[in-house]
Amino acid sequence: MRKPKAATIAVNAILFALILIFMMVPIQIGPLRLAVLMLIPVLIAGQTQKPGVAIAAGTFLGLVSFITSIVMPTSVLSYIFNNPLVSVLPRTCIGVVVYFTYRLIKKPIKNEALGHAVASFASAILGVITNTGLVSLMLWIFYHGKDISGTVIDAEFMLGVILANFVIELIVCALLTPPISLAVKKTVERADRR
């Protein structure tokens, strides 16, 4: 088994550190926290690293989200992320979805730059859909109809989450991930050739 090179280790450390930093700098819209910044390092890991790293990055995001919801809640609704099936499981799946969709889409495209742009854009979108879809599903399963600190988890609440969070996350991640991912990929490849 080949040992990872220093550049790969450094990139992985930076991606994990960014997840941690972005969790400490919450972006709130009303009672909801935008996951946009924290998703980008996971999307990049899925596009530029091995599958184990992609899964680990997603899981790390979920664990940090879970711990933060307990020790540093940002809103009255942070409580719902105390459940690891809401906070950890959906984030673990992001890494899997992004890793495989990126490679599946990129493989048939002969032009390297075009292949990366299309695959990165599409897999970033699917990663955000995976996050929002699975978190929403878990919220619905565990909290539907419950009143949490004056907020009832119902269809109206879920629609608000999708309109407030999902649209912003989708646009920002789809636009920012491809160029950042390309820069990370080229940097690692250049360092590995040395």
Side-chain angles (χ1 to χ4, degrees):
M1 188 171 146
R2 240 181 81 211
K3 287 186 177 179
K5 299 211 174 176
T8 302
I9 293 169
V11 165
N12 292 340
I14 290 167
L15 291 173
F16 280 73
L18 285 173
I19 292 169
L20 198 55
I21 290 165
F22 292 151
M23 282 299 293
M24 301 300 144
V25 184
I27 299 175
Q28 294 279 134
I29 292 183
L32 303 171
R33 181 180 194 157
L34 280 178
V36 67
L37 291 179
M38 348 175 222
L39 287 175
I40 291 174
V42 177
L43 300 173
I44 292 168
Q47 294 174 7
T48 64
Q49 304 302 309
K50 294 185 187 246
V53 175
I55 293 166
T59 303
F60 183 69
L61 169 59
L63 289 170
V64 172
S65 175
F66 171 72
I67 292 165
T68 305
S69 72
I70 296 168
V71 299
M72 203 175 84
T74 55
S75 77
V76 292
L77 294 177
S78 291
Y79 162 79
I80 58 181
F81 289 95
N82 291 1
N83 181 341
L85 293 174
V86 175
S87 55
V88 181
L89 179 64
R91 276 59 187 272
T92 298
C93 294
I94 297 169
V96 176
V97 168
V98 172
Y99 179 85
F100 288 105
T101 56
Y102 176 82
R103 277 139 191 91
L104 184 70
I105 293 168
K106 187 176 181 287
K107 191 173 186 175
I109 302 173
K110 302 295 180 216
N111 181 298
E112 182 71 24
L114 178 64
H116 172 79
V118 171
S120 180
F121 181 81
S123 62
I125 288 172
L126 288 173
V128 173
I129 290 170
T130 300
N131 180 59
T132 303
L134 290 178
V135 168
S136 298
L137 177 65
M138 293 295 136
L139 282 175
W140 193 262
I141 290 170
F142 292 105
Y143 301 105
H144 176 251
K146 293 185 180 171
D147 184 318
I148 299 173
S149 303
T151 301
V152 178
I153 309 298
D154 56 10
E156 190 178 325
F157 172 81
M158 297 305 287
L159 183 62
V161 168
I162 291 169
L163 291 176
N165 282 16
F166 176 66
V167 174
I168 294 168
E169 291 169 1
L170 195 67
I171 293 167
V172 172
C173 288
L175 294 177
L176 289 182
T177 303
I180 297 170
S181 170
L182 181 62
V184 168
K185 197 175 180 66
K186 286 190 177 298
T187 301
V188 170
E189 286 171 359
R190 206 174 305 121
D192 283 350
R193 281 196 297 267
R194 288 180 187 164

